[in-house]
Amino acid sequence: NEEGMFLDSKGKGPQKGFQNDDKFGDWLHSYVQAQLLQEGLTVKMFSGNVPIFYSPRAFDSAKKLLVLICGSGRIKAGIWSVGICAYRGLKAGSILPCLEEAKKRDMEVVVLNPNHPNSSHNHSEEIFNKIIIPSNPERVWIIAHSMGGSSTCQIISKNPNWCIQHVKAFALTDGCETKVKSKGYKINEWSHLKGINWIRSEKPLNSPLKDGESTKHRSA
């Protein structure tokens, strides 16, 4: 429906026995990626046959650039979680709301695709090193889910000076987190100022939790 919820002809959502299987997952990815193109994103084949999606001026010295990095597993560009899409709708389980918000804020967007298949870390680092950093964006924000958080930490550790100058904030959702470190830079102090990891907790939404390795933690 208009809210992005999956409903049957009687208006009911997925019930017991719903086949959240590979066939559904493949269809869902195709559907969402078609929506990315309808939203004006362009698809580019990278490293041979890995599609990434981006807005038209994303690599043209963007003033504001939003980078979206999904987690690991059978997840490709455009989806955070197949199961969440199925049971809680596209607004919760896909990146489509991020695109809507980016448009409101005049932000360019890059959607990485670390599971197509390749090493999640290698893909994300290669996109940054070969495309994003050379394109000279002015300000950058990153949202990453699950293993995308580990990739984000690696990118920061390997590009500390650039990140300090350009990355204004990064948000992890249930993010895998490794310690950000780089010789000659107080990069871990910086990452705790700029990064938040929203993790599972019984506390109310956004309640402060004990700091993580590289970010402040908040309740999801």
Side-chain angles (χ1 to χ4, degrees), residues 58-102:
F59 304 130
D60 186 18
S61 298
K63 289 188 176 297
K64 295 189 285 185
L65 180 66
L66 175 64
V67 182
L68 304 174
I69 310 175
C70 67
S72 60
R74 291 195 74 256
I75 296 294
K76 298 182 177 68
I79 300 288
W80 299 124
S81 165
V82 171
I84 291 177
C85 283
Y87 294 102
R88 294 186 56 203
L90 295 178
K91 288 188 176 181
S94 80
I95 69 164
L96 295 176
C98 296
L99 302 186
E100 183 179 340
E101 195 65 31

Side-chain angles (χ1 to χ4, degrees), residues 42-213:
T42 299
V43 62
K44 172 186 176 69
M45 303 308 287
F46 185 77
S47 289
N49 62 347
V50 181
I52 63 171
F53 296 81
Y54 58 95
S55 55
R57 298 182 64 85
F59 304 130
D60 186 18
S61 298
K63 289 188 176 297
K64 295 189 285 185
L65 180 66
L66 175 64
V67 182
L68 304 174
I69 310 175
C70 67
S72 60
R74 291 195 74 256
I75 296 294
K76 298 182 177 68
I79 300 288
W80 299 124
S81 165
V82 171
I84 291 177
C85 283
Y87 294 102
R88 294 186 56 203
L90 295 178
K91 288 188 176 181
S94 80
I95 69 164
L96 295 176
C98 296
L99 302 186
E100 183 179 340
E101 195 65 31
K103 283 185 177 180
K104 292 178 183 177
R105 297 168 183 259
D106 295 321
M107 302 173 85
E108 301 296 331
V109 180
V110 180
V111 186
L112 275 55
N113 201 1
N115 302 306
H116 201 272
N118 48 43
S119 164
S120 176
H121 289 168
N122 289 346
H123 170 82
S124 300
E125 288 176 29
E126 198 171 7
I127 296 293
F128 265 84
N129 292 334
K130 292 187 176 180
I131 302 181
I132 294 176
I133 292 176
S135 74
N136 194 33
E138 187 174 323
R139 292 178 290 168
V140 177
W141 288 261
I142 302 171
I143 301 176
H145 179 62
S146 187
M147 278 300 292
S150 181
S151 295
T152 302
C153 291
Q154 292 263 20
I155 289 164
I156 292 169
S157 292
K158 293 188 177 182
N159 303 279
N161 185 51
W162 185 88
C163 288
I164 289 170
Q165 292 184 36
H166 298 278
V167 175
K168 297 304 175 184
F170 63 99
L172 311 182
T173 56
D174 197 21
C176 298
E177 195 172 326
T178 55
K179 188 169 184 177
V180 170
K181 54 185 177 180
S182 190
K183 189 175 181 180
Y185 294 91
K186 294 182 177 179
I187 195 68
N188 198 260
E189 294 179 16
W190 173 88
S191 71
H192 276 88
L193 290 172
K194 298 294 185 178
I196 293 179
N197 191 357
W198 277 270
I199 62 175
R200 297 174 187 176
S201 167
E202 295 181 357
K203 292 188 176 182
L205 177 65
N206 218 35
S207 296
L209 304 173
K210 183 179 178 181
D211 284 1
E213 289 268 35

